[in-house]
Amino acid sequence: MTALPLHRTRAVRAPRHLIRILLTMLAVLAFAARPAMAQSILRDAETEQLFQDMMDPLTVAAGLQPGQVRVHLLGDRSINAFVAGSQDVYVFAGLIEAADTAEEVQGVLAHELGHIIGGHAIRINEGASAATGISLLSLLLGAAAIAAGGGEAGMGIMMAGQQAALGKFLAFSRVQESTADAAGAQYLSAAGISGRGSLTFFKKLQNLEFRYAVKQDDDQAYGRTHPMSGDRIQTLREVYVIDPAWEKPADPDIERRFQRVKAKLSGYMTDPDRTLRKYPETDTSIPARYARAYAWHRSAYPQKALAEVEALLATDRDDPYFLELEGQILLESGRPKEALPPLREAVAKSRSQPLIAATLGHALIATEDPANFAEAEKVLRTAVALDNKNPFAWYQLGIVYANKGDQSRAALASAERYNLQGGQAALALRNAEMAMQGLPQGSPDWIRAQDISLVARAEVERTRKRR
């Protein structure tokens, strides 16, 4: 009888150890576990098109269709990328900043594609299950030893089991990473892209490990989620140097566009003073002007920013992204009427690219001229038809509907917007139900509102149960 209270006390402590090991394993999977919605997704028409053009050859090489894998940019300065249980790759802004060439980024994309084709984000549960099984067994054996009077021995069994479980899980993760490395090398080869960039980027990661005193010996491999960088470089070099694409020159158009996007991102995310030091006015290249235009705009010097854009347009009057930037600067400087001509031209020359069309819709509404609202509705409806995952476009379209007195569709637009924003299920549900009350039952808009209502209601219920 005296063992019963002791057993019950230990039975309360044991699940805490299980929770600890499970939380440790989840922390190891930080990039896979963090949903994209928890990060700041940066959307830019030029960047997204470049990423798609960089990814599509790899996607085809892997046996998929062009456009089947999408690349998203996250506003995080970490040097990393991940997949999250879908055919979407998330690239951190810090990785783009750290990369010197487009081939380096393509090496990363090929690796992440290896994770997608291998179903690693889904199969990670296999590794977690095996590790949890070891942990549970050690908890039971430890609890039995404690109940029999061997307190220290029981705790030792539990701790050893946790260590073994974590080791099992990390080993599973390292195997997945090695598999993705090998698959990525195959996709680069089949796409005719040299592995030089892949090796160069791995070398950068190794240099970072050296800088932060991360040991590279075999004794340290046990506690790593990835194989040691030196081993990865050696293994991949043996594959890449004999590949027919090894000496193939990089695609000059992709590289040119990458340098533009890299500079644009730097101008957008970096402190303006640092950007202006990195890209002095003596540098008249297109990437430098791009970076300075953003830096001047962020520093509230619109005329200097516009001067850089004019210099860019002097090199190519038909570039839709230069025109978009001109319109953006004018709009965000409180000159929406002046922004309309370049934005209209950008939409036309980009074949109604949805992000650019959404900016034009915003400018049309910002003029506060009722005569512009019909055009705003047209371009915004086109924008959401081509890309229905842009909450800002839905917000602007809701303003148009509300202005014309169509409260039901304004509510539907708000429901679409809140449905895309994490943590807004209650607002999405409320607006979807409001829309359903005023829309013709059975109409496409009513059915869409019903779909959002069902999804949002389920999320609200899940949140309530968690609380």
Side-chain angles (χ1 to χ4, degrees):
M1 292 294 293
T2 57
L4 184 57
L6 178 62
H7 174 72
R8 289 178 64 186
T9 301
R10 296 305 179 188
V12 172
R13 293 184 62 185
R16 292 180 182 173
H17 288 287
L18 174 58
I19 290 171
R20 188 177 303 153
I21 185 66
L22 291 175
L23 289 177
T24 301
M25 288 187 292
L26 289 175
V28 167
L29 290 172
F31 297 114
R34 282 189 293 179
M37 65 195 66
Q39 308 292 322
S40 173
I41 297 180
L42 303 182
R43 300 210 59 190
D44 172 71
E46 182 177 16
T47 301
E48 291 184 3
Q49 186 59 59
L50 170 65
F51 282 168
Q52 203 60 54
D53 291 344
M54 292 170 68
M55 175 56 88
D56 278 347
L58 300 169
T59 304
V60 172
L64 302 178
Q65 296 297 316
Q68 201 166 340
V69 176
R70 303 293 300 275
V71 183
H72 308 274
L73 179 65
L74 300 180
D76 189 306
R77 306 301 281 269
S78 304
I79 304 175
N80 224 307
F82 67 91
V83 297
S86 63
Q87 290 183 327
D88 293 87
V89 176
Y90 296 89
V91 175
F92 286 63
L95 189 148
I96 303 301
E97 291 179 312
D100 290 319
T101 67
E103 283 186 335
E104 290 183 11
V105 178
Q106 284 180 301
V108 175
L109 295 180
H111 171 88
E112 298 303 328
L113 183 59
H115 282 305
I116 291 176
I117 300 299
H120 293 172
I122 299 171
R123 292 184 59 211
I124 201 68
N125 291 330
E126 297 176 15
S129 296
T132 303
I134 294 173
S135 184
L136 283 172
L137 179 59
S138 69
L139 289 172
L140 291 173
L141 293 174
I146 291 170
E152 291 186 7
M155 290 302 298
I157 292 172
M158 289 182 181
M159 296 304 294
Q162 290 185 39
Q163 189 70 15
L166 181 57
K168 180 78 172 179
F169 184 79
L170 292 174
F172 181 86
S173 176
R174 291 194 295 273
V175 169
Q176 286 194 327
E177 293 301 327
S178 296
T179 302
D181 284 348
Q186 292 178 7
Y187 304 148
L188 287 170
S189 175
I193 299 171
S194 174
R196 292 186 304 265
S198 176
L199 287 182
T200 302
F201 199 79
F202 272 126
K203 189 64 178 177
K204 288 181 178 178
L205 296 181
Q206 186 182 43
N207 290 339
L208 284 174
E209 292 176 352
F210 288 149
R211 180 184 304 175
Y212 293 107
V214 178
K215 293 184 178 180
Q216 300 291 304
D217 54 75
D218 292 337
D219 291 339
Q220 298 296 318
Y222 177 82
R224 296 171 62 103
T225 59
H226 292 56
M228 290 184 294
S229 296
D231 291 342
R232 300 173 83 178
I233 291 171
Q234 182 177 350
T235 299
L236 287 173
R237 180 181 295 278
E238 293 175 358
V239 175
Y240 287 138
V241 295
I242 61 174
D243 186 80
W246 174 251
E247 297 291 346
K248 183 178 179 179
D251 185 322
D253 183 61
I254 291 290
E255 182 62 28
R256 174 187 62 82
R257 293 164 59 194
F258 173 74
Q259 295 303 330
R260 281 176 48 157
V261 164
K262 179 179 167 72
K264 175 190 283 192
L265 182 62
S266 177
Y268 178 78
M269 293 196 65
T270 307
D271 179 77
D273 289 338
R274 288 184 58 191
T275 300
L276 294 172
R277 287 196 299 270
K278 182 178 180 181
Y279 297 97
E281 294 188 65
T282 52
D283 186 346
T284 59
S285 66
I286 288 177
R289 291 196 182 279
Y290 236 153
R292 287 198 301 270
Y294 276 93
W296 288 126
H297 181 45
R298 291 181 60 210
S299 301
Y301 289 99
Q303 290 309 121
K304 288 187 174 182
L306 289 170
E308 297 289 357
V309 176
E310 285 303 315
L312 290 172
L313 285 167
T315 66
D316 186 354
R317 299 298 307 183
D318 295 325
D319 191 307
Y321 306 120
F322 296 163
L323 292 163
E324 177 197 20
L325 180 55
E326 181 181 22
Q328 179 186 350
I329 293 170
L330 290 167
L331 171 60
E332 295 176 359
S333 300
R335 299 154 66 179
K337 290 184 179 179
E338 296 176 58
L340 297 182
L343 286 175
R344 286 188 179 116
E345 195 173 354
V347 170
K349 293 185 182 303
S350 67
R351 299 181 181 179
S352 297
Q353 204 287 333
L355 291 176
I356 301 177
T359 304
L360 173 57
H362 179 200
L364 289 162
I365 294 170
T367 64
E368 299 182 353
D369 184 350
N372 288 329
F373 275 60
E375 182 184 358
E377 179 179 354
K378 180 181 178 181
V379 297
L380 288 168
R381 284 173 64 91
T382 299
V384 297
L386 295 173
D387 177 8
N388 65 359
K389 298 188 182 299
N390 184 349
F392 182 72
W394 283 113
Y395 171 69
Q396 295 296 321
L397 187 56
I399 293 175
V400 172
Y401 286 139
N403 182 73
K404 64 188 294 188
D406 191 345
Q407 298 302 328
S408 297
R409 285 183 174 78
L412 176 56
S414 294
E416 294 277 12
R417 169 195 171 196
Y418 289 124
N419 187 50
L420 292 169
Q421 296 175 332
Q424 302 288 343
L427 289 171
L429 175 60
R430 187 183 311 163
N431 280 276
E433 291 180 338
M434 189 185 306
M436 290 172 66
Q437 292 175 5
L439 293 168
Q441 186 169 352
S443 66
D445 285 342
W446 185 90
I447 293 173
R448 178 56 186 163
Q450 183 184 54
D451 290 343
I452 295 175
S453 173
L454 293 171
V455 172
R457 187 182 301 280
E459 180 59 31
V460 168
E461 289 299 321
R462 282 194 295 270
T463 302
R464 183 178 296 118
K465 289 179 181 179
R466 285 196 296 267
R467 291 176 178 172

